[in-house]
Amino acid sequence: MKSLLVLLLLIAGVESVRADDANPETATHSARLAAYQSVVRPVLQKLCVRCHGAEKQSGDVRLDTLSPDVDSAGFSVSVWHDALDQINLGEMPPPNETPLDAVQHKQLVTWIAATLNEAAEAQRYADGRVLMRRLTRYEYANTMRDLLGIAFDVARELPPEPASPEGFLNNGATLEMSSTQVETYLAAARRALEVAIVTGEQPRIFRYEAVETAVGRLPRSKEGGHVPVNPEFLLSIPEFPRSGEFRMRIRAHAVVPEGEDFPRLRASLGNVPGIIHVPRKLVGEVDITAGADAPQTIEFRGRMEDFPQPGDQKFGNVAFDGMIALIDFLDADGRELRYADRTYSDPPPKPNAKQAKNAPPPNGRPAPEGDAPRYDVVIASVEFEAPYFESWPPPSHSRLLAHSDDTATEADRARAVLKRFMRRAYRRPVQSDELDQTVDLFAAIRPQVSSFEEALRETLASVLVSPHFLYIVELRESRATNVSQQQPVSDTDSTNTTRGRQEPSRLTDFELATRLSYFLWSTLPDDRLLELAERGELKQPAVLDAQVRRMLDDERSNEFVNRFADQWFDLTALERVAVNPEFYPDFDSELKVAMQAETRGVLREIVRNDLSCLELLNSDWTIANRALATHYGLSDRPRTSAFERVALRDADRRGGVLGHGAFLLSQSDGQRPHPIKRAVWILDRLLDSPPAPPPPAVPELDTERADLAKLTLKQQLEVHRSEEACRSCHAGIDPWGIPLEHFDAIGLWRERSPIRVADRRRKGSTAEVEAPVADAASRLPDGSDIGSSAQLKEYLLTNRREQFARAVVKRLAGYALGRSLDIGDRPAIEQLRQDFVARDFRLRQLVVALVGSELFQSK
């Protein structure tokens, strides 16, 4: 790796700086260059240039052109920065080389740090910032929901965002916009406004209610991969609207014998188009925890157009026309819950003569003996209503079109509506010329449509495709008197230049409210933030501190926790890994959702309860539901599918993210664990030291190769490292993943590492042979011997706390700012890191400190 090679070159034979030399921390630029020429460069020429010079560049590193001058083109911030990190971490010199003595260590670290500080000051704000970025898909969806007051997925047609090099989706440099996207945004805005603002009379409402299941034969074919349906309760919906919101309400209770966990109820909506299959889609699934004395009421909502509907032509030979609501009863483990003596919507075949009298029918249970209660779900009633409106006109319509003077002209009413709407949409006051232009558009549209509402919908759609809505825009303060004529701050506008350094422009109160709200809520500012911004009070430290804490306590901060966790820990990688059923036939893909929820939940617990972020490295608790706890084999497990804090014991081996299934599964190939992927994840996500990508000509490890197939994965990696092209990088990578060898590809603990070889009986298949004991022993690059995942976590807590702190601060700052960090941010990041460590790694306090910093409040 480039950083490791440079470190070796830097410290293998550096002489001590003379006591009468200038202190590097206060030395001038020329004095630092002189120190380099007199001390560092001769060492490089003597020991390193032969392998890293003009004729040969081992590891793609050339040192004879490496410059210490921050003003030169040959200066490399990343190389010097990595050098400083590796020296501080004790990874260089390598264990087999002579170590630096205390004086050498201090002098070298001080010189490099001073040079990097000089580079940071020189580059600070000089490169400009991404100060106008598009809303992400999820930010757009949340903003439309809160602006229009509707629960409607407006972002599903939008293309996904590419991740930045740091893994974030909200990085302005990656959020592009095409003409096709603008058309998509306009179509989405029109669809949403048709839901939010209604016209005409209230449409016909279809209501159905039942206390007993409808009975009729349903298709059971398995042809074409269809999964037969077998609901315990069915509601027939013969007539229905093609679009609009629906509401399904179910009153039910459970009978739970002692020793059993709570059963579940699953509701789906679909139709019977023929005799082959029943197309349907899940509406929702809940635990039934109430008893017969107080049944619980479950309410599901959705939109009709999102569910399979029959065509206009009826098939004729089916039991149910129209649509059907299907309700399944499941035990705590997800198995169908039914009995032979009960009537269901489509009862299974009766047991044949060869079956025992009390044997369960297919997909059923035997009835309990004697007076023992049967484990069951009992439905009292099911109601279905569509389209569903809380009132008519809907609350969204009344709020958007509210006007105190009913006698006003349409033009005056439109002006009032547009002024209020545009202020919220643009997240700032609307200037008179902006408003006038939009009112003129309404006036031009009105004669072409039949109603005031239709004209207003089209006018509001134009607001929703404005850059002032689709983008987070930060403007030049010098032209603040006319917002509509301001331009986004460009690279050359982003600073106020003074002699010797660059000064940042500060955010306005409204810009601060917007940046803060999209950071913690992923949506537009609420009325409280906008009021404080309008009064010019939001920047006051005490006021801003109180608002950050208020926002973190609000349920909307779940957006911050979930999005930050997903992108920091790359939780969406779970979707990219297909678990091989040949290796893990009992794995339920729903566990992937639970694994993601675990890591999100742990981060949420840390933020909400002001816990130390070190709990991410190791802890005696986690967040799990019954299914995940059962998968892990935890000593204690919840009784329901709800996620809750679960105490861990040493034997559970789960504390910290390195024991989370989300990490272990996502960094596998779905068949076997992948120590290299796991190692790279640790170095990148936890230690902010991502390895360089492999050279294009270097082949990947081929575990199916004949000479490797009979070896354990650790042994295969040892062979891989013996190859010249792989050794230099993998020597610093592989040791971090090997201590996790006891965790298999789906995150389960194992004592042995199975080996699979070619199966001679079945061409193209593999067979498992006798498995050796899993070997998790590893020696890290700094010479530390690690024998298990527990020891690795302890090592991180003891030896890598400072590095972990910097990783947390940099990830949080990059996410909050919506851009990649650069050398100019280094002093601010370092100050935040020091404060973070001093406050016992409290993530909640770090959020407060970050928002209050110049880094967050500057353009």
Side-chain angles (χ1 to χ4, degrees):
M1 285 184 348
K2 186 178 293 186
S3 60
L4 301 182
L5 289 170
V6 172
L7 278 171
L8 179 60
L9 298 169
L10 285 172
I11 62 180
V14 174
E15 301 174 9
S16 298
V17 178
R18 295 189 302 274
D20 58 348
D21 281 349
N23 181 352
E25 293 181 335
T26 59
T28 63
H29 175 71
S30 59
R32 270 193 290 272
L33 289 178
Y36 174 82
Q37 292 295 335
S38 62
V39 178
V40 178
R41 187 170 182 273
V43 175
L44 298 180
Q45 289 288 346
K46 179 179 179 181
L47 301 178
C48 310
V49 170
R50 182 176 62 85
C51 294
H52 301 281
E55 297 182 2
K56 183 180 179 182
Q57 297 91 40
S58 296
D60 198 28
V61 174
R62 182 173 178 177
L63 297 178
D64 59 333
T65 56
L66 180 63
S67 173
D69 187 350
V70 300
D71 295 327
S72 73
F75 183 80
S76 174
V77 169
S78 61
V79 170
W80 287 112
H81 194 283
D82 288 346
L84 180 63
D85 289 344
Q86 300 294 334
I87 294 172
N88 279 328
L89 296 173
E91 293 187 356
M92 284 292 164
N96 58 341
E97 299 288 342
T98 303
L100 291 169
D101 61 36
V103 174
Q104 290 174 320
H105 185 276
K106 180 179 179 181
Q107 291 170 335
L108 190 55
V109 166
T110 302
W111 186 88
I112 298 176
T115 301
L116 287 174
N117 285 337
E118 181 187 4
E121 197 67 14
Q123 291 297 315
R124 194 177 187 211
Y125 303 105
D127 296 332
R129 297 287 188 258
V130 178
L131 298 175
M132 181 177 175
R133 75 164 180 87
R134 176 172 59 80
L135 299 179
T136 65
R137 292 174 76 244
Y138 61 84
E139 288 171 337
Y140 174 76
N142 294 341
T143 302
M144 291 285 280
R145 176 200 64 205
D146 295 340
L147 180 63
L148 301 181
I150 58 173
F152 182 70
D153 184 7
V154 295
R156 58 185 167 187
E157 301 299 328
L158 298 178
E161 286 87 19
S164 71
E166 299 80 18
F168 293 122
L169 301 177
N170 66 343
N171 189 307
T174 66
L175 293 171
E176 300 177 347
M177 176 75 81
S178 67
S179 58
T180 301
Q181 281 178 272
V182 174
E183 295 175 1
T184 304
Y185 278 114
L186 180 59
R190 286 169 170 163
R191 286 197 302 271
L193 286 165
E194 286 177 359
V195 174
I197 299 176
V198 297
T199 58
E201 298 295 325
Q202 181 175 355
R204 176 189 173 188
I205 306 298
F206 297 88
R207 295 186 179 91
Y208 299 95
E209 181 177 1
V211 296
E212 294 183 352
T213 182
V215 178
R217 184 63 59 184
L218 296 174
R220 292 187 176 276
S221 173
K222 297 183 180 180
E223 298 295 328
H226 297 302
V227 179
V229 295
N230 201 24
E232 278 66 58
F233 194 103
L234 189 146
L235 176 68
S236 178
I237 307 170
E239 293 185 276
F240 57 91
R242 293 289 182 180
S243 62
E245 187 175 23
F246 69 80
R247 182 180 71 171
M248 186 187 302
R249 299 183 70 184
I250 304 170
R251 292 182 66 248
H253 72 269
V255 179
V256 185
E258 186 176 355
E260 295 274 11
D261 289 334
F262 294 108
R264 299 178 58 72
L265 180 150
R266 177 188 296 156
S268 304
L269 190 62
N271 68 95
V272 187
I275 61 173
I276 302 299
H277 70 119
V278 179
R280 70 243 181 235
K281 182 179 176 182
L282 179 69
V283 177
E285 187 171 330
V286 296
D287 298 296
I288 306 300
T289 58
D293 55 336
Q296 68 192 80
T297 299
I298 305 120
E299 183 172 301
F300 298 119
R301 294 193 190 185
R303 296 197 61 82
M304 294 297 298
E305 59 265 35
D306 293 339
F307 290 81
Q309 299 178 9
D312 294 330
Q313 184 67 37
K314 296 182 180 181
F315 190 82
N317 189 27
V318 294
F320 301 100
D321 290 327
M323 297 184 73
I324 54 175
L326 305 94
I327 301 175
D328 295 293
F329 304 160
L330 310 171
D331 67 14
D333 293 316
R335 295 169 300 201
E336 191 171 17
L337 189 59
R338 61 167 50 208
Y339 298 93
D341 61 345
R342 284 276 301 274
T343 297
Y344 299 106
S345 64
D346 189 18
K350 296 180 179 180
N352 59 42
K354 295 182 180 180
Q355 289 178 302
K357 180 179 179 181
N358 202 35
N363 299 315
R365 284 184 170 222
E369 298 181 358
D371 297 328
R374 70 172 73 199
Y375 184 30
D376 208 352
V377 173
V378 179
I379 286 184
S381 64
V382 176
E383 303 172 18
F384 183 86
E385 180 177 339
Y388 173 74
F389 300 102
E390 293 182 8
S391 60
W392 186 263
S396 59
H397 178 104
S398 301
R399 185 171 61 83
L400 290 172
L401 271 62
H403 191 266
S404 58
D405 186 1
D406 294 334
T407 64
T409 64
E410 283 192 348
D412 289 340
R413 290 169 57 199
R415 176 176 289 273
V417 170
L418 289 169
K419 183 178 181 179
R420 183 174 60 248
F421 184 84
M422 292 170 69
R423 178 181 181 273
R424 292 201 71 213
Y426 293 171
R427 286 88 70 176
R428 57 165 175 79
V430 181
Q431 300 302 308
S432 59
D433 59 339
E434 289 180 300
L435 182 58
D436 290 343
Q437 292 171 5
T438 311
V439 172
D440 289 345
L441 177 62
F442 168 82
I445 295 173
R446 181 64 184 93
Q448 304 176 37
V449 296
S450 60
S451 70
F452 170 80
E453 289 81 7
E454 288 180 81
L456 199 57
R457 284 197 304 217
E458 190 65 14
T459 307
L460 293 178
S462 72
V463 174
L464 296 178
V465 293
S466 165
H468 293 283
F469 173 72
L470 294 176
Y471 285 79
I472 295 176
V473 182
E474 295 166 355
L475 304 167
R476 286 197 293 267
E477 295 178 6
S478 59
R479 302 187 63 183
T481 56
N482 192 340
V483 176
S484 66
Q485 296 179 3
Q486 288 182 357
Q487 299 297 322
V489 179
S490 66
D491 290 350
T492 57
D493 298 328
S494 62
T495 58
N496 299 319
T497 305
T498 60
R499 190 177 185 86
R501 64 161 292 165
Q502 303 284 344
E503 290 292 344
S505 296
R506 301 302 294 268
L507 297 174
T508 67
D509 281 80
F510 283 101
E511 291 167 346
L512 178 59
T514 296
R515 182 178 284 189
L516 177 60
S517 187
Y518 280 98
F519 171 33
L520 296 182
W521 288 348
S522 297
T523 189
L524 48 70
D526 65 357
D527 289 340
R528 180 59 177 157
L529 284 175
L530 292 176
E531 289 169 5
L532 291 170
E534 193 161 27
R535 295 204 301 261
E537 299 175 1
L538 186 58
K539 289 184 180 179
Q540 297 175 12
V543 173
L544 186 58
D545 183 285
Q547 288 306 302
V548 174
R549 297 180 189 278
R550 174 183 74 89
M551 295 175 73
L552 288 174
D553 289 336
D554 193 287
E555 285 298 316
R556 284 171 286 188
S557 67
N558 285 337
E559 277 290 325
F560 157 64
V561 171
N562 293 343
R563 302 300 179 181
F564 184 51
D566 287 353
Q567 296 169 49
W568 177 13
F569 298 125
D570 192 20
L571 299 183
T572 55
L574 283 165
E575 302 169 6
R576 302 192 293 270
V577 178
V579 175
N580 191 331
E582 182 181 348
F583 285 67
Y584 304 102
D586 297 327
F587 182 80
D588 183 353
S589 61
E590 289 297 317
L591 283 170
K592 289 184 178 181
V593 179
M595 290 172 176
Q596 182 184 38
E598 175 188 24
T599 304
R600 285 176 165 186
V602 167
L603 190 64
R604 183 178 301 110
E605 188 83 355
I606 288 171
V607 172
R608 287 285 174 86
N609 296 300
D610 198 20
L611 304 179
S612 172
C613 222
L614 294 177
E615 302 273 2
L616 288 171
L617 297 181
N618 200 10
S619 64
D620 59 1
W621 58 274
T622 192
I623 301 296
N625 64 358
R626 186 187 186 280
L628 187 62
T630 301
H631 176 69
Y632 288 161
L634 298 185
S635 306
D636 299 321
R637 71 179 187 188
R639 295 187 65 194
T640 71
S641 62
F643 284 84
E644 59 186 70
R645 181 164 171 157
V646 178
L648 296 175
R649 304 176 187 177
D650 291 342
D652 293 326
R653 308 180 181 94
R654 289 290 163 184
V657 292
L658 297 187
H660 288 191
F663 158 66
L664 296 166
L665 172 55
S666 68
Q667 304 309 311
S668 77
D669 61 7
Q671 297 181 168
R672 305 177 70 183
H674 203 301
I676 299 176
K677 288 184 178 180
R678 290 175 176 179
V680 169
W681 189 94
I682 292 170
L683 290 168
D684 181 18
R685 308 286 167 159
L686 298 184
L687 299 180
D688 187 41
S689 183
V698 176
E700 293 187 4
L701 178 64
D702 182 7
T703 59
E704 303 298 328
R705 212 172 72 189
D707 60 332
L708 296 179
K710 294 184 179 182
L711 302 179
T712 65
L713 200 51
K714 180 181 177 181
Q715 292 169 337
Q716 292 176 2
L717 291 174
E718 291 172 352
V719 173
H720 194 53
R721 289 197 301 274
S722 67
E723 300 177 8
E724 180 65 27
C726 307
R727 183 186 307 116
S728 60
C729 289
H730 281 274
I733 298 175
D734 299 357
W736 292 97
I738 291 171
L740 300 165
E741 180 64 13
H742 279 287
F743 289 106
D744 68 11
I746 59 173
L748 296 181
W749 183 266
R750 61 185 185 175
E751 294 296 338
R752 293 183 173 273
S753 300
I755 295 177
R756 301 187 73 87
V757 298
D759 189 344
R760 296 179 180 177
R761 297 167 298 177
R762 295 162 54 195
K763 186 176 181 180
S765 299
T766 60
E768 202 168 282
V769 300
E770 184 177 357
V773 175
D775 184 1
S778 179
R779 174 166 291 181
L780 299 182
D782 66 355
S784 299
D785 289 321
I786 304 294
S788 66
S789 58
Q791 290 181 15
L792 177 61
K793 289 186 285 188
E794 187 58 36
Y795 169 85
L796 292 173
L797 283 170
T798 304
N799 297 77
R800 299 297 176 122
R801 294 162 64 99
E802 300 287 334
Q803 193 176 1
F804 174 66
R806 188 182 68 197
V808 175
V809 172
K810 290 182 67 175
R811 294 281 175 174
L812 184 68
Y815 177 82
L817 298 175
R819 64 172 174 82
S820 297
L821 303 179
D822 57 37
I823 184 63
D825 300 315
R826 186 174 182 273
I829 294 297
E830 177 59 21
Q831 184 59 57
L832 287 167
R833 185 197 65 79
Q834 293 176 10
D835 294 343
F836 182 47
V837 173
R839 292 172 175 149
D840 192 28
F841 297 78
R842 306 282 171 173
L843 186 59
R844 184 184 179 92
Q845 296 183 36
L846 174 61
V847 171
V848 175
L850 173 60
V851 172
S853 70
E854 180 184 302
L855 179 66
F856 187 84
Q857 297 186 32
S858 299
K859 302 178 185 179

